[in-house]
Amino acid sequence: MHKFWTSLVLLFFPVFIYSQTDIKSLLTELDRTIANNEQYKTKKEAEITKLNDLLKYTSSTTQKYEIYDKLYGKYRWYQSDSALSYARKSLKIAHQLDDIKKTNNAKLNLTSIMETLGMYKEATEILNKIDIQATPESKGNYFGVSSSLYLSMSNYAASAEEKNNYISLRKKYSDSILAFYPVASKSYLFTTSNQLIESGKYQENLDLLLNYYPNLKDSDTDQAVVAYLISQTYHHKKEFELEKEWLIKSAISDLSLEKKEYISLRALAFLLYQEGDIDRSYTYIKRSLEDALFCNARLRTYEISKMMPIINKAYEKQNETNHNQLVYFLVSATVLSIILLVILFLLFKQMKKLAKAKREISMANKQSLALNEELKVFNEKLNETNTTLKEANLVKEIYIGRYMDQCSVYISKLDGYRRKLNVIVTSGKKDELVRAIKSKEFIDEELKDFYNNFDKTFLLLFPNFIEDFSQLLTDKDDIKLKSGELMNTELRIFALIRLGISDSVKISEFLRYSLSTIYNYRTKLRNKAAGPRDEFEANVMRIGTNK
């Protein structure tokens, strides 16, 4: 019997070691994915910017609908408020096109995102008004959205009766999905998988999903969904190591595709908390909460908020334990040091060696003071860097908002200008058309509005900029503004410098002045600096830093 158990251990021990190694490497990859957040975010924003650029150059209503629909898809799991906005725009365009298929599709998108935002009443009203019989091909999507909505509503039900009612409706719509999707489709697969889990057919579900998963590409947003369903199957089978492995895979897929509305990382954080990996658990739940708040996914935020205090308390307790251990270590080290000094005192009574020891201690103290001074300087630089980063984030946030608003206004104005030219052409007024094309009045007015908007935005960020800038000059009255003028050319040049744009070429392109003119303005004001001329622009960069 002893030999049997020994053989069994020897047989499965390598498998256990390999499993632990595989999970460790997956966790390392997940940590690396979290650390590369900015890289994935930049890629996502570039895709969105590309679609917005396409929107500027299209006048076709149908093309606008398609772009709005794609933008909805990009924002669906990324930023719920923006997704809601584009779903509404799609619905408006669909009404203009009088296309019932596009209208129903837009309504279903609107219902789906309202569910994420917790707008259950509004979502239910829209869903009940959809004439789904007019578009039979949309029934599968309709039943899927309905099933998801009632599942979310059951989680928020105030009473057991309402909860059971919503669960019943969810099951009804879930069963209906299978009749309207092809057997090979993802929706059919996901619905079948959920039903197999609910009915306890775990191995059958694993056979289905484990055969399907290798066919998915890393760029497929459904990869995370399949991995999560596999993890939940292993959870019900109480095979927690395999559950953890597939939760990690699902989380890696979610984060690398810059999805902000997800479950896997939160579930993984709680599993690691139960295993005692508090540091990772805290990091993962904190990231989950940040993403849920960024996306404005209310259900996810609510779910995380229930877990966050538990993990946070454990994290603080662990830090307290580490702190106590450190204090104990320092006390022990101090006691040992005192004992050592006593022994040295007894062994080396000679005054010469004692004096030498004192000199060495004095030198060590001086080095410690020097190191403390270096650390102080480093901390000051770090604080300054943090302040600069916060300021940069604020500037970026406000200017992105202003930029998007300005783009929207320009599109409307260009469309109005186009209609005006169209009227002139239609009426055959050739001379008037030529005058309109040659006239710079439209461009001048737009530039005037553009600079005025820039001035308002900049002074919103730095309300005391003009006053502080004047303090840097020998004569504070050198900066004179005309009536109704927020800033003049000189102020705009140094406003751009304050925002970090110090290249004269870029400044000249922005303000539509020649390079020599920009150079002359900068030189002229630098010569009027109240302090050292070579520090003038550096002092401009410090304006508003501590506010």
Side-chain angles (χ1 to χ4, degrees), residues 46 268 410 436:
L268 177 62
Y410 284 164

Side-chain angles (χ1 to χ4, degrees), residues 38-72:
E38 285 301 320
Q39 174 186 335
Y40 300 124
K41 184 178 180 181
T42 300
K43 182 180 177 182
K44 185 77 172 182
E45 293 290 347
E47 293 171 355
I48 292 170
T49 301
K50 186 177 180 181
L51 287 172
N52 278 315
D53 289 341
L54 283 174
L55 201 59
K56 296 178 189 177
Y57 300 106
T58 182
S59 58
S60 167
T61 307
T62 302
Q63 288 179 347
K64 283 184 180 180
Y65 173 85
E66 293 172 355
I67 295 172
Y68 285 147
D69 191 54
K70 289 179 181 178
L71 282 166
Y72 166 81

Side-chain angles (χ1 to χ4, degrees), residues 329-354:
F329 172 78
L330 290 173
V331 170
S332 300
T334 303
V335 172
L336 289 173
S337 298
I338 292 171
I339 294 172
L340 181 61
L341 286 173
V342 172
I343 294 172
L344 287 173
F345 178 76
L346 294 173
L347 292 174
F348 303 100
K349 294 181 179 181
Q350 296 88 349
M351 293 299 295
K352 185 177 179 180
K353 290 185 178 181
L354 182 59

Side-chain angles (χ1 to χ4, degrees), residues 205-214 230 234 246:
N205 189 47
L206 287 175
D207 293 339
L208 173 69
L209 297 179
L210 290 174
N211 286 328
Y212 182 77
Y213 185 82
I230 294 173
Y234 281 122
W246 285 97

Side-chain angles (χ1 to χ4, degrees), residues 98-341:
D98 196 21
D99 188 322
I100 186 62
K101 183 178 179 180
K102 287 182 171 60
T103 299
N104 282 352
N105 180 65
K107 286 182 178 179
L108 288 171
N109 287 344
L110 193 57
T111 303
S112 181
I113 196 62
M114 282 180 171
E115 175 207 336
T116 301
L117 287 164
M119 301 168 65
Y120 300 133
K121 178 178 179 296
E122 295 85 347
T124 306
E125 288 175 354
I126 293 173
L127 200 63
N128 291 335
K129 291 178 181 179
I130 295 177
D131 182 12
I132 198 61
Q133 300 301 330
T135 55
E137 67 277 10
S138 302
K139 284 188 176 181
N141 188 20
Y142 173 81
F143 292 134
V145 171
S146 300
S147 174
S148 178
L149 175 61
Y150 287 115
L151 176 62
S152 296
M153 290 174 71
S154 70
N155 292 326
Y156 276 106
S159 66
E161 183 179 352
E162 289 177 334
K163 185 179 184 70
N164 292 332
N165 182 42
Y166 291 142
I167 291 174
S168 176
L169 286 170
R170 182 250 174 178
K171 187 177 186 307
K172 168 190 170 184
Y173 285 111
S174 180
D175 292 339
S176 300
I177 292 173
L178 300 178
F180 291 94
Y181 273 119
V183 176
S185 68
K186 292 179 182 179
S187 298
Y188 189 94
L189 174 83
F190 295 156
T191 305
T192 301
S193 176
N194 280 313
Q195 289 185 345
L196 289 173
I197 292 174
E198 290 172 0
S199 59
K201 299 177 181 179
Y202 305 130
Q203 191 56 49
E204 188 177 339
N205 189 47
L206 287 175
D207 293 339
L208 173 69
L209 297 179
L210 290 174
N211 286 328
Y212 182 77
Y213 185 82
N215 300 321
L216 295 169
K217 297 180 180 179
D218 291 342
S219 59
D220 194 330
T221 55
D222 291 323
Q223 187 184 63
V225 180
V226 176
Y228 178 75
L229 289 172
I230 294 173
S231 76
Q232 291 308 289
T233 309
Y234 281 122
H235 174 78
H236 288 291
K237 293 186 71 178
K238 301 189 184 307
E239 297 181 29
F240 300 119
E241 285 301 307
L242 286 170
E243 177 194 2
K244 187 199 302 183
E245 176 184 339
W246 285 97
L247 277 176
I248 297 170
K249 290 179 180 179
S250 178
I252 291 172
S253 178
D254 281 329
L255 296 176
S256 62
L257 295 176
E258 196 60 12
K259 290 165 70 175
K260 300 292 187 182
E261 203 272 322
Y262 52 73
I263 305 175
S264 302
L265 190 63
R266 170 178 60 81
L268 177 62
F270 193 70
L271 185 59
L272 292 173
Y273 162 75
Q274 292 176 319
E275 293 180 352
D277 191 348
I278 304 301
D279 287 335
R280 267 204 174 97
S281 176
Y282 178 77
T283 300
Y284 293 168
I285 198 68
K286 183 171 175 287
R287 172 61 189 272
S288 298
L289 181 60
E290 289 170 354
D291 285 347
L293 291 172
F294 178 88
C295 182
N296 197 17
R298 296 180 184 175
L299 177 60
R300 303 295 174 231
T301 305
Y302 171 72
E303 292 170 342
I304 294 168
S305 66
K306 292 192 294 184
M307 293 170 50
M308 188 71 182
I310 300 171
I311 296 176
N312 188 56
K313 185 176 181 181
Y315 181 74
E316 289 176 353
K317 186 176 180 180
Q318 179 171 289
N319 283 343
E320 184 180 350
T321 302
N322 293 339
H323 175 73
N324 292 338
Q325 289 175 347
L326 179 60
V327 171
Y328 176 77
F329 172 78
L330 290 173
V331 170
S332 300
T334 303
V335 172
L336 289 173
S337 298
I338 292 171
I339 294 172
L340 181 61
L341 286 173

